[in-house]
Amino acid sequence: MDGEAAGAPELRPARAPQDFHFYPMDLYDPEDRLHLFPEEHLQTGREVQAEMTGEPKGAAPRDLEEDVEELVHLYALGDGSEWDAELVDGSSPHLEVWEQRPRMAGAHRDWSLGAEAEAGDRGCAGWGAPAPSRDLREAYRYSHGRASEEYECYVIPEEEDEDEAALVFCVTCKAPVRALEVSDEHREHEVTPLSKALESAKDEIHKNMFKLEKQIIEMENFANHLEEVFITVEENFGRQEQNFESHYNEILETLAQKYEEKIQALGEKKKAKLETLYGQLVSCGENLDTCKELMENIEEMCHEEKVDFIKDAVAMADRLGKFLNTETDVEISAQPDFEDQTLDFSDVEQLMGSINTIPAPSAPVINPQTPNSATGSSVRVCWSLYSDDTVESYQLSYRPMQDSLPGKDPEEFTMTVKETYCSVTNLMPNTQYEFWVTAQNRTGPSPASECVVYMTAPSPPIIKSKEIQSCEEAALICWESGNLNPVDSYTVELTQAETPEPSGVTESVVGIPTCESLVQLHPRQSYTVYVRALNMGGPSARSDPVTIYTTGSCFHLNEHTCHPWLTISEDGLTVVRSERKTLAKEPLPSNTRFTRCVAVMGNLIPIRGRHYWEVEVDERVDYTVGVAFEDVPKQDDLGANCLSWCMRHRFASSRHKYEFLHNKMTPDIRITVSPRKIGILLDYENSKLSFFNADISQHLYTFSCQFYCFVHPCFSLEKPGCLKIHNGIAMPKHVAFY
């Protein structure tokens, strides 16, 4: 029996759903190289000529001699041999034709030869009168016009600007040619309309201009960096020049001082030694004079008389004895040998060594973290030096920025590297680390750099497969963060099974701030869904994949609304009430969980449109199926208020009773065939809720109602039994056209 309730109670006006954010999709199509001349627009020269002249595409090309003969016959210009002679000569034949100013007739010009045409703007000339000369091309154009049988004249297509309309682009020669003058040279070439060639060329130029602008920006940044390096090198070399000059002046002063000291010491030693030798020389001279004097006296005594000799000899003997008893210093008191004057240049050598000593490097500067430079367990840290210091190694230190225990500092780690970058591994995901670095050479370490904070990428999120809701147009995807610390955003990546892309991603939703996303999809498709978490360090690895089908509406039972007497299966699609689980007393009232009514709700995707699902029932079980608002009173029975619409079945004494309840009201309807599978159609567009016997494609009843917000499926078991939900199925024909 069919029935429809039109007297539904008036509800509050419809309003948009809250708590859900709809995100558009970003298509990640491969950027194929833009072809300058797409193949589908390429034509041969013959095809273009045939198209411009109105000839069929399959027609054979006309010979030039046939065209000339036709022109001669048409205009009665004489024998064709004259034309042949002129053509061979290379000159253009002159045609004497009746010229008439054209009149527009549709898309063509009507060239009339009547007397009325002589009153036109341009006038006319009779047959045989000299007319402006036309070359062979114009004659050829007139000869290929379409004849009008009524006026016996030629109607030719409306001519456009010869400089533009008559031009096509030869792809092979890469040059524009006239469409009606496609010679043998271009006849077999690929040509395309000039307008499409211009558009393609402009697109290519725009792409190249964009690349050029990007390159200009990069070159400007590089030039600025070179300028900074140039200034830094100039300043460093200037400081080094001043340093060398200062050191060399100090060395020269030290050497001059040592020279004066050494010269003065040598002079004093020279004077003392010469004075000693001079005194010894004077004494030796005096002794020598005395010896000579004694010798002379002795010689004189030897010539004297004996008496005188004896007298003088006694006195001479005393004098000679006294002289000989006197000691005479015959040893040199000052040796003439030069002493080895060793100069002490140790201080000078120290000064010279200070010139060649490399100064300790200045403090490095750690670069800020660049996007996508981290993974869940590693970061890439880079730094630089703003001077030309000589560096042998770097000491990179880091520590986590987590809250440590009182009185205990976080553990520090140090690494020695040779380059100005380092990939630090074995880190915690989604964690901030503080880095600083020092430069070292043989002179010593530099001051420590300023501390910079780097962050590792998050851990992959965990998709809640049992909480995914979908329909033919969209899917609501929920997940857990998988990280202790908050992240910046999430990205949902979808791969369509039928059209896989090389990158593995066909669609993506980026910048999601919460752990759920409502994504628009295509009907009757299969999607593999991944989720990534993002922070300043970069994206996390992909989550474990989950498959979503957009055939029908898919939902699972909500455990948070389930009455304690009911049990939900692991797949979330079957609800069971057993006698052993029946409690002695009812649970306490709750705003989220059914307490008096032994029921459970399903999580239907918050998308307006048409949703269909089926419920497999037992004929001997008392059950209630339908829909209700999320804030329906959990202490009331389903259908006992204005917030729920339900179909209830009661079985007693081998008789079946069916009621379609809303606000405790039900129509008088008799159902002769007890359904084993009930189809439920929720139609937001037409504000209807329909029930069907799915086994025999029979319509049972339709509620007319106003939904001020989204409703959810609800299921109730008044006695032990089970209900099995079938969703994610295509809408049957008897339902789709209802």
Side-chain angles (χ1 to χ4, degrees):
M1 298 291 292
D2 296 343
E4 183 172 349
E10 183 177 357
L11 303 178
R12 286 173 282 180
R15 57 193 176 101
Q18 302 177 358
D19 303 332
F20 292 102
H21 304 278
F22 193 84
Y23 299 94
M25 293 179 297
D26 301 331
L27 299 181
Y28 283 80
D29 295 330
E31 298 182 356
D32 297 332
R33 177 175 174 81
L34 179 61
H35 298 287
L36 188 58
F37 305 110
E39 295 182 358
E40 58 270 21
H41 301 303
L42 297 178
Q43 302 177 355
T44 62
R46 294 180 179 177
E47 292 174 346
V48 175
Q49 179 176 350
E51 182 179 354
M52 297 294 293
T53 57
E55 295 180 2
K57 295 183 179 180
R62 302 182 56 172
D63 192 275
L64 182 60
E65 295 180 0
E66 295 179 0
D67 297 337
V68 173
E69 290 177 2
E70 182 179 352
L71 292 176
V72 172
H73 176 73
L74 177 64
Y75 294 100
L77 297 177
D79 191 6
S81 60
E82 299 176 0
W83 285 85
D84 294 338
E86 292 178 348
L87 290 173
V88 171
D89 185 46
S91 60
S92 300
H94 296 280
L95 301 180
E96 296 179 356
V97 297
W98 186 282
E99 282 199 317
Q100 171 77 16
R101 184 175 182 86
R103 294 177 299 169
M104 299 301 296
H108 303 86
R109 295 179 181 176
D110 189 1
W111 291 80
S112 176
L113 301 178
E116 296 81 6
E118 298 181 1
D121 296 338
R122 294 177 55 188
C124 63
W127 290 99
S133 61
R134 302 180 183 273
D135 58 13
L136 186 57
R137 295 191 302 272
E138 296 178 346
Y140 181 86
R141 190 180 299 119
Y142 285 110
S143 67
H144 284 71
R146 291 184 290 179
S148 173
E149 297 179 359
E150 182 179 358
Y151 298 101
E152 296 182 355
C153 63
Y154 282 82
V155 181
I156 66 174
E158 181 180 358
E159 297 181 359
E160 298 179 359
D161 189 358
E162 292 184 359
D163 294 337
E164 297 182 1
L167 291 178
V168 295
F169 192 86
C170 179
V171 181
T172 305
C173 299
K174 296 182 179 180
V177 296
R178 291 186 179 274
L180 299 180
E181 293 182 355
V182 179
S183 61
D184 294 337
E185 180 182 358
H186 305 282
R187 192 173 297 275
E188 300 298 335
H189 292 179
E190 293 180 351
V191 296
T192 186
L194 186 61
S195 59
K196 296 186 179 299
L198 288 175
E199 292 178 0
S200 300
K202 289 179 180 179
D203 293 340
E204 187 70 19
I205 290 175
H206 289 163
K207 290 181 64 178
N208 293 333
M209 288 178 63
F210 176 77
K211 295 179 180 178
L212 186 59
E213 290 177 356
K214 184 177 180 181
Q215 186 174 0
I216 289 174
I217 295 174
E218 293 178 354
M219 293 302 296
E220 288 179 350
N221 295 334
F222 181 68
N224 294 334
H225 180 64
L226 284 180
E227 185 177 358
E228 294 176 357
V229 173
F230 180 85
I231 295 174
T232 302
V233 170
E234 185 179 16
E235 292 177 352
N236 290 337
F237 274 98
R239 287 195 298 268
Q240 290 185 7
E241 290 175 358
Q242 295 177 359
N243 189 21
F244 278 121
E245 184 178 0
S246 174
H247 278 73
Y248 276 114
N249 290 335
E250 186 177 357
I251 291 173
L252 292 177
E253 292 177 359
T254 303
L255 288 175
Q257 182 179 358
K258 285 187 172 296
Y259 173 78
E260 294 295 337
E261 292 177 355
K262 291 296 182 183
I263 291 298
Q264 184 177 0
L266 288 175
E268 292 177 354
K269 289 182 178 181
K270 173 185 176 182
K271 180 179 179 182
K273 186 170 288 191
L274 290 179
E275 289 179 351
T276 302
L277 292 174
Y278 180 76
Q280 210 172 12
L281 181 61
V282 171
S283 175
C284 183
E286 292 177 352
N287 291 333
L288 183 60
D289 291 342
T290 302
C291 289
K292 287 181 179 181
E293 182 183 358
L294 291 174
M295 286 296 295
E296 291 178 356
N297 292 332
I298 291 173
E299 288 180 357
E300 289 179 359
M301 287 174 56
C302 291
H303 296 289
E304 291 181 356
E305 294 293 336
K306 293 180 181 180
V307 178
D308 295 330
F309 175 76
I310 293 173
K311 292 179 181 180
D312 293 332
V314 174
M316 181 60 65
D318 295 336
R319 182 180 177 188
L320 184 60
K322 186 184 294 186
F323 176 77
L324 292 176
N325 290 330
T326 303
E327 289 188 16
T328 303
D329 188 6
V330 293
E331 293 182 1
I332 300 176
S333 59
Q335 297 294 330
D337 298 334
F338 292 100
E339 298 178 359
D340 187 8
Q341 298 293 331
T342 302
L343 300 179
D344 184 10
F345 288 103
S346 58
D347 50 353
V348 178
E349 291 176 356
Q350 184 178 359
L351 290 174
M352 293 295 293
S354 64
I355 297 177
N356 299 323
T357 299
I358 301 173
S362 57
V365 178
I366 298 184
N367 302 334
Q369 185 174 12
T370 58
N372 304 327
S373 62
T375 65
S377 60
S378 66
V379 294
R380 181 181 174 88
V381 184
C382 301
W383 58 89
S384 57
L385 288 172
Y386 288 96
S387 62
D388 292 336
D389 295 336
T390 300
V391 178
E392 297 177 356
S393 64
Y394 296 92
Q395 293 287 335
L396 178 64
S397 302
Y398 63 95
R399 61 189 174 195
M401 294 187 63
Q402 296 177 343
D403 295 335
S404 58
L405 298 176
K408 182 178 179 181
D409 295 332
E411 185 178 1
E412 295 183 2
F413 304 90
T414 302
M415 303 175 61
T416 302
V417 294
K418 297 290 186 181
E419 297 81 10
T420 57
Y421 61 89
C422 180
S423 294
V424 184
T425 58
N426 298 325
L427 303 178
M428 297 294 295
N430 198 35
T431 303
Q432 291 182 335
Y433 286 85
E434 193 175 33
F435 289 88
W436 65 95
V437 65
T438 58
Q440 290 185 336
N441 57 22
R442 65 175 179 265
T443 303
S446 71
S449 66
E450 295 291 337
C451 294
V452 176
V453 176
Y454 275 58
M455 192 170 191
T456 53
S459 298
I462 303 172
I463 300 179
K464 300 178 182 178
S465 58
K466 292 185 178 181
E467 297 185 14
I468 292 180
Q469 309 162 32
S470 65
C471 61
E472 293 195 349
E473 294 83 15
L476 178 62
I477 306 168
C478 304
W479 59 87
E480 294 179 357
S481 174
N483 296 273
L484 297 177
N485 299 324
V487 300
D488 295 340
S489 64
Y490 298 92
T491 297
V492 175
E493 299 177 353
L494 302 100
T495 301
Q496 194 167 342
E498 297 182 357
T499 56
E501 294 291 333
S503 62
V505 177
T506 57
E507 301 170 359
S508 67
V509 182
V510 299
I512 305 173
T514 60
C515 290
E516 63 181 22
S517 175
L518 187 62
V519 183
Q520 184 179 5
L521 302 175
H522 300 288
R524 295 175 294 281
Q525 299 293 333
S526 174
Y527 293 88
T528 302
V529 181
Y530 306 89
V531 180
R532 296 180 188 266
L534 289 88
N535 61 14
M536 61 179 296
S540 69
R542 280 179 169 182
S543 65
D544 292 335
V546 173
T547 303
I548 294 178
Y549 300 95
T550 56
T551 302
S553 299
C554 295
F555 62 88
H556 295 82
L557 297 176
N558 188 353
E559 297 179 353
H560 301 290
T561 63
C562 184
H563 191 280
W565 294 358
L566 298 178
T567 302
I568 300 175
S569 62
E570 186 177 354
D571 60 1
L573 298 175
T574 302
V575 56
V576 180
R577 179 177 178 178
S578 60
E579 296 180 357
R580 291 179 299 175
K581 198 171 182 179
T582 302
L583 302 178
K585 60 179 181 179
E586 294 183 355
L588 297 176
S590 173
N591 294 328
T592 58
R593 185 183 298 272
F594 286 98
T595 54
R596 181 177 178 276
C597 178
V598 186
V600 63
M601 298 183 73
N603 286 325
L604 186 64
I605 185 171
I607 291 292
R608 296 191 177 274
R610 308 183 80 189
H611 302 276
Y612 178 79
W613 64 93
E614 295 177 354
V615 185
E616 186 177 341
V617 300
D618 188 349
E619 296 178 354
R620 300 179 179 274
V621 173
D622 294 349
Y623 59 84
T624 303
V625 295
V627 298
F629 290 111
E630 186 176 4
D631 57 350
V632 63
K634 302 302 188 293
Q635 293 78 28
D636 295 348
D637 291 333
L638 296 177
N641 48 59
C642 62
L643 302 179
S644 57
W645 296 259
C646 301
M647 172 184 174
R648 184 169 66 181
H649 169 256
R650 294 289 183 271
F651 179 75
S653 302
S654 301
R655 299 185 62 182
H656 300 275
K657 180 181 180 181
Y658 294 92
E659 297 176 302
F660 296 91
L661 295 171
H662 174 66
N663 205 16
K664 297 182 179 181
M665 299 178 62
T666 179
D668 186 11
I669 294 178
R670 299 290 184 270
I671 297 178
T672 58
V673 180
S674 297
R676 292 180 174 271
K677 186 179 290 185
I678 302 173
I680 302 175
L681 174 63
L682 173 61
D683 190 350
Y684 281 108
E685 297 176 354
N686 299 312
S687 299
K688 292 182 178 181
L689 176 68
S690 302
F691 296 87
F692 301 86
N693 187 336
D695 293 330
I696 60 175
S697 303
Q698 179 188 19
H699 173 254
L700 300 178
Y701 185 73
T702 296
F703 286 102
S704 294
C705 43
Q706 295 293 330
F707 302 115
Y708 66 87
C709 65
F710 292 104
V711 294
H712 296 279
C714 53
F715 312 89
S716 175
L717 286 169
E718 299 300 328
K719 294 182 179 180
C722 72
L723 297 175
K724 187 175 183 179
I725 296 98
H726 297 272
N727 56 28
I729 56 179
M731 191 176 300
K733 293 183 179 179
H734 69 275
V735 176
F737 296 102
Y738 182 76

